Amino acid sequence: IILNDAETFPKWRKTYDLMPLFGEGLVTSSGERWKMERRLITPLFHFGVLKKIHGHMVKETCNLVEKIG
């Protein structure tokens, strides 16, 4: 909750350099746009959702590590 204070903890300035690559979204936005984006993704981080996709995430991470290694 501390990091919700944008005045005390502003976004890293270089984050906005990513806008041409990522467009305006959660990473590159601020203010009301950021709040709207954050509200939309919050349900994805509910424990029940994460529990359901845990196995898939582990499998895909192992696949990626295998391809990189």
Side-chain angles (χ1 to χ4, degrees), residues 5-18:
D5 181 359
E7 290 180 27
T8 305
F9 300 98
K11 279 195 176 187
W12 184 45
R13 269 204 167 321
K14 296 238 180 221
T15 299
Y16 298 104
D17 294 343
L18 299 172

Side-chain angles (χ1 to χ4, degrees), residues 46-66:
H46 185 274
F47 181 73
V49 173
L50 294 176
K51 190 174 178 182
K52 288 178 186 175
I53 65 170
H54 175 263
H56 181 70
M57 290 175 66
V58 169
K59 178 182 158 205
E60 292 304 320
T61 301
C62 290
N63 288 342
L64 177 62
V65 169
E66 194 175 295

Side-chain angles (χ1 to χ4, degrees), residues 16-57:
Y16 298 104
D17 294 343
L18 299 172
M19 200 173 285
L21 184 62
F22 292 112
E24 189 176 358
L26 185 65
V27 172
T28 57
S29 64
S30 59
E32 289 303 313
R33 173 71 185 239
W34 178 86
K35 285 180 187 177
M36 179 190 72
E37 298 279 344
R38 183 68 174 98
R39 251 183 256 128
L40 288 172
I41 69 160
T42 295
L44 296 174
F45 296 99
H46 185 274
F47 181 73
V49 173
L50 294 176
K51 190 174 178 182
K52 288 178 186 175
I53 65 170
H54 175 263
H56 181 70
M57 290 175 66

